[in-house]
Amino acid sequence: MEACSIARIINLGDLAMRPKKLCRLLIKLLSDLLLKESGKYEYVHPPPMETQAADLPELSQDMLMEIFALLEIPDLVRAGSVCQSWRSAYTSLRDMGQYKQQTPCLLYTTESSGEKVSCLYSLVEKRAFRLTLPGTPLHKRLPIGSSHGWVVTADELSELHLVNPITGQQIALPPVITIEQVKPIFNDIGVVQGYKIGWYCAEKDYGDPYGEPSPILTPSELRDHLYYKAFVFPDPLTRSFIVVVIHYPFCQLSFARVGDDKWTWLPHNTRYRDCVYHDGLLYALTSHGQIDAFDITASVVTRKVIIKHMKGISESMYIIRAPWGDLLQVWRTVDAAEQQDGDDDTLCYETEDGIVPVMRTKEIKVFKVDMAANKLVQINSLPYHVLFLGHNQSICLRAEEYPQLRANHVYFTDDHVDLLMLIKNGPRDIGVFDLENRRRKKTISPIWSSWPSPVWITPSIAKADGWCVPCGVGTPVMGGRELERRGGLMACSLT
């Protein structure tokens, strides 16, 4: 094994007996060293760095992997750049996916960064990193959800793709025309020129609310009228992913496994707002607080009502599997923001469609789902946990594992779909809510007003099975459809 040492470590053998102490030292050392060396780091194949050798003890690969598994991805990538043995430990962790669940970051775009560049704001380092992604720029896609390191995006033809913004990997999902309510409109030579959305669910066909003749949406317009929110869940049974989409009309559910040729519609209920997947069951929350559970591993999907309909709920709704095992419901109240001088006027700004009020999160309530009693029990605080809400899978983390985050707080970003579609350049509802004193705190800096609206993402460098990793280029077949990955894994960088 190649010797790997850094002269500034005085007694590496002693530190190896204290992994936590060594981990802290490595983080500081690597950050200082690499920030001086270069402003750009390759995410997937970091180049070895020349370091000053010294006659110091060498850490075993097992010890290196144990330490590296505790690092955030920026530091993990930096560690993989130091020398060959550290790079080997990094590669093993990446290939096995055996590193800590990462601290969520905000993914967004800015005009100043250029077309091909997206930004990742780290809550740990309190700085933004630049990601150069292959293919269509993120600002030309519509992110409709994120989970487990993947972002579900709709391109300019309204087709859905999984994108890992860290590795640059992309996977095509089943065609949009296989969603039950989407009807293609062909021209005289058989080319799709637009789409219509069928306004029906399992119980009733409501007809087209726009009257006759019904409008035909162009391929680029369809995504604004069809998608509400999407989720990506690992499926241990197939060693793949399940993608669930909440879509219009009436916020219904469809799902597909990576590799499927079409979407499977779940015509059991409507007005869904959030989902979570656990032990083969998909739990879906409606806008009225009802929770339905679907066994989507069965040949015939069935539904079970976990908690019944609750009337009169108008807040944004979220469902979360807590680290201790309970299901949580979270209600978020959003209202027009008031002027800073304390008067009764609301903040507004002009759009092409007129004057629009600035919307802000005013209240967040957390409830434990008591399945046995079929009721919700309000939780006034979460002193040892942290929540993340937005256009992503809702997350609850143990605060002790993320010391840079504020315990008993909720980190949130925009997910008010109607406003996001209407206002593409207005101020975003991004901030932190204190569950103890029930107050919104200072907005996370910097403040964005970009399009698409920022989304929380839990970074991941793990690769999906069946993809070409060494060169980052291939034409994998996904259910009969091919997606050419240009640039692939090597194209993504962190600066």
Side-chain angles (χ1 to χ4, degrees):
M1 184 185 297
E2 175 186 340
C4 182
S5 59
I6 298 179
R8 280 182 283 178
I9 300 181
I10 304 303
N11 192 337
L12 196 55
D14 176 65
L15 287 173
M17 303 300 293
R18 300 173 175 82
K20 290 185 178 179
K21 186 176 180 182
L22 178 56
C23 179
R24 290 194 296 270
L25 178 59
L26 286 177
I27 292 173
K28 183 179 187 305
L29 178 61
L30 291 171
S31 298
D32 293 345
L33 181 62
L34 289 186
L35 285 174
K36 290 179 181 178
E37 291 287 338
S38 171
K40 183 174 182 177
Y41 317 114
E42 292 294 339
Y43 251 115
V44 178
H45 297 293
M49 289 179 52
E50 294 296 330
T51 59
Q52 181 180 356
D55 295 328
L56 297 175
E58 178 187 346
L59 291 179
S60 68
Q61 284 286 291
D62 288 343
M63 178 62 74
L64 283 173
M65 291 176 64
E66 183 178 345
I67 295 168
F68 289 0
L70 303 175
L71 301 179
E72 295 287 334
I73 278 180
D75 286 317
L76 180 56
V77 173
R78 291 164 183 161
S81 303
V82 172
C83 65
Q84 188 59 42
S85 62
W86 285 28
R87 181 181 181 182
S88 177
Y90 159 87
T91 302
S92 297
L93 284 175
R94 181 202 67 194
D95 293 346
M96 294 185 295
Q98 294 182 351
Y99 47 87
K100 64 169 282 187
Q101 182 176 348
Q102 298 291 298
T103 304
C105 300
L106 269 179
L107 180 69
Y108 64 102
T109 62
T110 63
E111 291 184 3
S112 60
S113 297
E115 272 203 358
K116 291 287 186 179
V117 176
S118 299
C119 298
L120 195 72
Y121 183 79
S122 168
L123 294 174
V124 175
E125 300 198 18
K126 294 180 173 57
R127 58 168 291 199
F129 297 98
R130 291 157 57 90
L131 301 173
T132 303
L133 302 178
T136 306
L138 187 64
H139 79 271
K140 291 186 177 180
R141 302 189 182 204
L142 176 64
I144 59 171
S146 115
S147 42
H148 298 283
W150 295 93
V151 180
V152 185
T153 67
D155 65 20
E156 291 179 292
L157 297 178
S158 298
E159 297 290 353
L160 294 180
H161 304 266
L162 295 183
V163 178
N164 184 328
I166 307 303
T167 66
Q169 189 171 4
Q170 303 184 34
I171 302 175
L173 295 173
V176 66
I177 61 173
T178 64
I179 293 178
E180 180 69 24
Q181 288 80 11
V182 176
K183 308 302 178 186
I185 306 299
F186 300 93
N187 61 20
D188 294 339
I189 60 174
V191 176
V192 174
Q193 65 177 11
Y195 299 93
K196 291 177 60 177
I197 297 178
W199 287 81
Y200 61 89
C201 57
E203 292 80 14
K204 183 179 179 181
D205 187 342
Y206 290 85
D208 197 316
Y210 299 111
E212 295 293 343
S214 60
I216 297 177
L217 302 171
T218 66
S220 61
E221 291 174 335
L222 178 64
R223 61 184 182 180
D224 291 344
H225 296 268
L226 179 63
Y227 301 120
Y228 177 78
K229 196 173 183 180
F231 312 85
V232 185
F233 303 117
D235 183 14
L237 294 177
T238 62
R239 297 180 59 83
S240 183
F241 297 100
I242 295 173
V243 181
V244 179
V245 178
I246 302 177
H247 59 83
Y248 297 104
F250 313 120
C251 289
Q252 303 181 67
L253 293 177
S254 292
F255 76 94
R257 290 177 174 83
V258 170
D260 285 353
D261 287 317
K262 65 184 184 65
W263 294 95
T264 299
W265 178 37
L266 297 177
H268 301 83
N269 204 349
T270 58
R271 295 175 177 83
Y272 289 109
R273 288 294 180 264
D274 204 14
C275 296
V276 66
Y277 185 72
H278 184 70
D279 289 341
L281 292 178
L282 175 68
Y283 296 91
L285 174 68
T286 74
S287 60
H288 295 285
Q290 178 170 314
I291 299 176
D292 295 337
F294 297 90
D295 182 0
I296 58 177
T297 64
S299 56
V300 178
V301 178
T302 57
R303 180 188 66 147
K304 178 181 179 182
V305 178
I306 299 299
I307 188 168
K308 295 180 181 178
H309 182 99
M310 300 181 64
K311 295 181 179 179
I313 297 173
S314 60
E315 292 89 348
S316 298
M317 309 288 290
Y318 310 87
I319 185 170
I320 305 175
R321 171 68 65 172
W324 62 88
D326 286 334
L327 278 179
L328 304 179
Q329 267 196 43
V330 181
W331 301 355
R332 174 180 174 186
T333 303
V334 178
D335 204 349
E338 296 178 355
Q339 297 282 2
Q340 295 297 319
D341 57 12
D343 60 33
D344 294 333
D345 294 335
T346 58
L347 290 171
C348 298
Y349 53 95
E350 293 187 11
T351 71
E352 294 179 356
D353 299 310
I355 304 297
V356 178
V358 175
M359 304 302 289
R360 288 290 181 264
T361 295
K362 296 297 184 69
E363 178 65 83
I364 295 176
K365 296 180 181 179
V366 183
F367 301 86
K368 170 188 171 182
V369 178
D370 188 335
M371 297 186 187
N374 189 39
K375 67 177 183 179
L376 302 178
V377 179
Q378 186 166 356
I379 299 174
N380 293 322
S381 66
L382 292 170
Y384 307 109
H385 292 84
V386 184
L387 299 181
F388 282 84
L389 306 178
H391 226 54
N392 52 273
Q393 180 185 351
S394 306
I395 304 171
C396 180
L397 301 175
R398 292 186 178 93
E400 64 178 0
E401 298 177 8
Y402 303 87
Q404 298 85 357
L405 301 179
R406 303 175 187 174
N408 208 24
H409 284 69
V410 182
Y411 293 75
F412 59 86
T413 186
D414 252 337
D415 65 350
H416 323 309
V417 177
D418 293 338
L419 286 177
L420 292 181
M421 294 300 102
L422 177 65
I423 306 160
K424 295 190 175 182
N425 292 300
R428 299 302 176 197
D429 183 19
I430 303 173
V432 184
F433 187 84
D434 189 335
L435 290 173
E436 181 177 4
N437 60 27
R438 320 305 305 175
R439 294 182 60 186
R440 174 187 176 126
K441 291 194 172 180
K442 185 178 180 180
T443 301
I444 301 169
S445 179
I447 299 175
W448 294 272
S449 60
S450 63
W451 172 259
S453 181
V455 295
W456 294 113
I457 180 172
T458 305
S460 170
I461 57 172
K463 61 182 193 227
D465 292 339
W467 288 75
C468 176
V469 175
C471 64
V473 178
T475 53
V477 176
M478 308 305 299
R481 304 175 65 220
E482 294 185 350
L483 172 67
E484 183 176 3
R485 296 172 60 235
R486 303 184 183 274
L489 300 177
M490 292 295 292
C492 188
S493 62
L494 165 67
T495 60

